[in-house]
Amino acid sequence: MMTLKEYTKLLGVVFFVVAAVSCSQKLDVLEDILVLDPEAALENLPLSELAKEIRYVPLENHPESMLVNVQEIIIRKNYLYAVDRILKAVFVFDHQGKYIGKLTRLGEGPGEYQNMQHVLVDEDESFIDVFEFRSGRSRILRFSNLDFELLEEISVFLPQANSLRKDQSGRWYYFSAQQLDNEINDQYTNADLIVVDGESMKPTLFFEKRIETEGSYYTANSESFSINDKGDLFFSRMFDNCFYHLSEGGVSSFLTVDFGEKGLDPSLGLKSTREQMEFLYSKEEGRGLASFPVLNFYNEKFLAITYNYKDSGGHFHVHQFLKFNSNAMVVHTRNFINDLTSFPETLYICSYSNGINHPVYFNGDLVEVVSPAYAMKESQVDIPGLGTVGREDNPILVFITPKIPLESGD
């Protein structure tokens, strides 16, 4: 198998800076361009080429803590928070995976919610915000952590969106609508990003468009946002190879992935969702094309990107690109083969792998969330360092310690 040093010499990845007109209207643009050839990606690369050890944190399989369908894992300094989209509850675990408790207030009475559209945990972990969609009467229910008592209810403008983040100021809410239908100011829109001022609750639309959806939606990636170790917030948009920095209610592009002739035509994003899906799911159309790049992490020391690639046989794959700036190491591969431990066989530095949104970086480590149902073929397996693991068990967080430090400098 080719070593990482040999592979880096062959890769030929190019960075350069351009002053561009704009990736979208009303955006300031001064951006790097990353030239990528999807056919240059390796099929497999040993994890040991970039990592020195793996640490497991299995979420406890307690009768009170069994998860059904995890939408998101939120990692904070003190606790891990698992948001279950079926149970409409937030489960709290410590950093060893021990079950602590859960926020579950489903109902129609005082201090209860009927749906859990989004969940935010504040940085100091003093409260948990549950966003409940109720058309024109949407609200945030703020609960104390960890006794889960209702602190207050806050009226909020809540558009339909796949995911939500706040910027560092705490004032601005960013909603990733990604083509969903919304009615704003008595007008229908399929704007990809909706920014809401938390003080006035007034929305601002970015990447505004109107397409025919016929009430049918899809998403190429369930997570569109990433946050680095300094708290900087970034956004990846469907049918757009630009990445955007979000701050103080504004949006600015800073990095573009250039696939050349092997990139999907972004004008497909202006067609109806039926036409989009017919093209994307066609066995014949789009062969040899890369699409939907997602920025999973970015700081001055490390860059992590994933994107889709349809091969010559019409099969989709997720490619991973990592760049370590301290030694100019670059990695471009489909799979990381785990040669450090026996589980799991492959790993992905991807913020939406297995359909579970999660940060790919925490406290110097890379992070993967492994669902035993996806990772195991047998009903039960004995795994060194984990014991007996069943396919129905809760997710397992895998912390991967890189050989090169990734923390931002002062």
Side-chain angles (χ1 to χ4, degrees), residues 255-300:
L255 176 63
T256 294
V257 180
D258 183 0
F259 296 113
E261 295 181 352
K262 298 172 185 175
L264 183 71
D265 185 348
S267 67
L268 181 62
L270 300 178
K271 297 182 181 296
S272 69
T273 51
R274 176 181 293 184
E275 291 172 296
Q276 292 176 17
M277 289 188 287
E278 285 176 352
F279 181 91
L280 294 172
Y281 295 111
S282 165
K283 275 287 187 180
E284 303 302 323
E285 300 282 2
R287 293 188 181 193
L289 295 182
S291 59
F292 305 122
V294 174
L295 182 69
N296 295 291
F297 187 82
Y298 173 79
N299 67 12
E300 70 267 22

Side-chain angles (χ1 to χ4, degrees), residues 319-330:
H319 285 186
Q320 307 176 74
F321 175 83
L322 310 180
K323 183 174 187 293
F324 300 83
N325 291 332
S326 59
N327 66 353
M329 179 194 300
V330 290

